[in-house]
Amino acid sequence: MAQNTRTVPAGTPTNVTQKHTKGGIGESTLRPDGTLKVTGEFAYSSDMWHEDMLWGQTLRSTVAHAEIVSIDISEALAMPGVYSVLTYDDLPAEMKNYGLEIQDTPVLAHGRVRHHGEPVALVAADHPETARRAAAKIKIEYKELPLVTDEASALAPGAPLIHEGRDDHHIGHVPHPNIVHRQPIIRGNVEEARKRADVIVEGEYTFGMQDQAFLGPESGLAVPSEDGGVELYVATQWLHSDLGQIAPVLGLPPEKVRMTLSGVGGAFGGREDISMQIHACLLALATNKPVKIVYNRFESFFGHVHRHPAKLYYEHGATKDGKLTHMKCKIVLDGGAYASASPAVVGNASSLSVGPYVLEDVDIEAIALYTNNPPCGAMRGFGAVQACFAYEAQMDKLAAKLGMDPVEFRQLNAMEMGTVMPTGQVVDAPAPVAELLRRVKARPLPPERQWETAGENADVRALPGGLSNTTHGESVVRGVGYAVGIKNVGFSEGFDDYSTARVRLEVINGEPVAMVHTAMAEVGQGGITVHAQIARTELGVTQVTIHPADTQVGSAGSTSASRQTYMTGGAVKNTCEAVREALLEIGRRKNGSYHPAWATAELLLEGGKVVTDGGEVLADIAEILEDEAIDLELEYRHHPTVPFDLVTGQGNGHVQYTFAAHRAVVEVDTELGLVKVVELATAQDVGKALNMLSVVGQIQGGTTQGLGVAIMEEIIVDPKTAKVRNPSFTDYLIPTILDTPTIPVDVLELADPKAPYGLRGMGEAPTLSSTPAVIAAIRQATGLDINKTPIRPEMLTGTL
Amino acid sequence: MRVNFTVNGRPQEADDVWEGESLLYVLRERMGLPGSKNACEQGECGSCTVRLDGVPVCSCLVAAGQVEGRDVVTVEGLAEFAKQRDEHGHGGACGTGGGCGSKGGVSLDEAKRWQSKPGDSQTGEGVELSNIQQAFIDAGAVQCGFCTPGLLVQADALLEENSSPSDQDIREALSGNLCRCTGYEKILDAVRLAAARQSEAV
Ligand code: FES
Ligand code: FES
């Protein structure tokens, strides 16, 4: 473009009145999708609608492990209103399986089902009820096979192999083909260190199978396109990962599968795996009509993977002055019938199994099993949650045995910056573990036993049993418990964990406007809010539009592992910086000769203007840009990590660590076995809060999910049949507003120098320590030794 | 079967309704009003809450045939419903036509003229919100937002009856609405905020 011909910016530079652009990082700006969500206009995946669309239905296995002898679809196909019935034989491509890391999950069962609820056949019909009835008419003959349901049955001599002829890259180092992955970590010398121990405690812990229980059901709409491809509108956590699994089984090149994120009603890890995506596409391609699939709640419990239930065996030692000497543990995770994210969960469980403590002598082993139980994979906290429950119970046991205060004991052993992890990795950013504990402890306790002080005026709704008016406080005891946890941020172990952002800056109606386009899944966490804040901060513009997330832009990676603000936020930041440079370059070209500051000063973009770091205005962004647009797409990577050594577990495997602490105050009705959590105080370090309102909301939400697993949440799998017994919100309980206490939150901001703005991924950490804190409080209240989640009334009343 | 009823002040007619269809299904799939959410379809989560002749109900548990001749308000009509209530000053359970006209609701004529307000469908800018809707946004009570429509309808009904609820009152009123994202604290904040603003406005 020719040297500019318009008037020179005002001769005398002026001071900027508004130093920072409003709505930038650090402010609690409101969600851009808030208005749509409160008016009911926000289009969630289950709200998709298309003229002439059909409804898809999945038929799922009623048994956990069986050979499929025959499938008869004729009656279903003959029903009026039914357009298509598909089974394994109708799959169009050579590739018939999918999976996050190991492609072991059949799109539709072939020859054999490996868990209760596995998809076997699909129906498309003109009314959802017709589709359901047709699916019920499909006749399947099963020949049941012996079950593998736990470590003993999986590893017994002659145990049936869940995946015969495995050829994945873990098979070479696992001791048995029913073990998905095994990660030992050996450091120091446990036998020697044990000799220094004055006390030793051992424990065996059981962690139940938790469900993500997001409210928005798995759903979406597939629309066949004219070029033989398909458009898919779906709720997911990672569009590009889905795409990479969908296209091969459809036999289509990736560019013929165009994906757009539709409204996501929560995820928590449960949307990392494929659910209805491929099924809807298959039906749409088979019928050449748009097909919508919406799971009901029952099916949702079969449609996604759950949190790994676990058995954890721990031994710790400590000296009488309270220093940890050694730790030995074995963690057995039940991965269920298919691999999903099990290998990565194993890596996390082992590498974070010591917790946020200094421990030089360790002997750790984590494994995940293949069984005929429901498949397990990603859920908020990802392997760190199960370990935290166990090591925090151990800390309380040690403190009790030493006669020490449990918080002081933890503080004495707390890791800090510079601590060496059991993997040999040095913690190179602030790790304020002792401080977080101090903060939750220092907070004033909630008023004692209100029914005694308030007398007649006591509100029985606040007692255990709540609204049901079960007590006036007669047998209610109170306890206080503490816990702290450590979680890694981002994808570890050498994974190429990048994110992409496209940013366009242009002038619309005389105003500079930035458009941010990423494939990041907004699942409720508030990513789109901070993307707009970042763009405002970096580009000094007020108006930012967020482009819908789709596969027309490069991958943003997964909305999981607490990584999105770090990674896609980092990508938006970097790309904005490049756009800013490009803009300044145009500015220099056009106006450089009019003011020396263009060449000499540090230039910033603020309030729609180019300013020097001294606050002098050089030009309007709009004037520089005129009708040009700057449009850049860049990738962003965090510093590299390496896989853990398969024998010693050594290696700089993690990107960043994040920490949270909890203090729980609970009241327990020991006659009825009912628990009321009175308060769940939280302290967390977030590095830098880009949006405090969202940060606090995430911490409270994560804390509540941890509370849920402590006192009510568990998918119950019948050990004799491996069938799920409680796939409904009537039987699988998640906390209501009555079960959830006040959650005061204390946020620390100790910057991590390597992270964008110094931030620390923070979505998962609060889920870790909330469970052990609640259970510690229940132990303290009742004096019972509880080593299991969730706590059930019969465990508290001695009627088990 | 055919079902005639009023939705957000507008007379509606649904044809070919299958006997087993729920009010939720009819609203979402036949009326094009997907604001009421389908999270459990079993009466456990409250995401589908609407007002039926003024009473908050789980629309997934109401058979479509049961609403013949009755009056339904969904989240899509909540702002207008609250506005009518404010303007007509009745604390009544019903702000629209249907069977409630005599109790101070809007006239059938007014009801027929009701239409959703235009606004920016991308950002929702320029849309008029009710007190409780604004409070949910301001307090940060919306994350994924799937529970939000049901909570809004329920919370609005609470504030209509009890203008200064205690925390326990709020907890009791909202105990049938599950939220998996927020931990409820900000939902409590939002209801407190709406109550405070409501009392300021009086
Ligand atoms: S969808 Fe109606 S109560 Fe859950
Ligand atoms: S369920 Fe997501 S905000 Fe309530």
Side-chain angles (χ1 to χ4, degrees), chain B residues 24 37-49 58-61 176:
Chain B
L24 178 63
K37 293 296 166 228
N38 54 325
C40 74
E41 296 175 67
Q42 223 184 7
E44 294 289 344
C45 74
S47 311
C48 63
T49 305
C58 293
S59 60
C60 69
L61 292 185

Side-chain angles (χ1 to χ4, degrees), chain B residues 87-102:
Chain B
E87 281 169 11
H88 296 269
H90 73 100
C94 175
T96 56
C100 300
S102 58

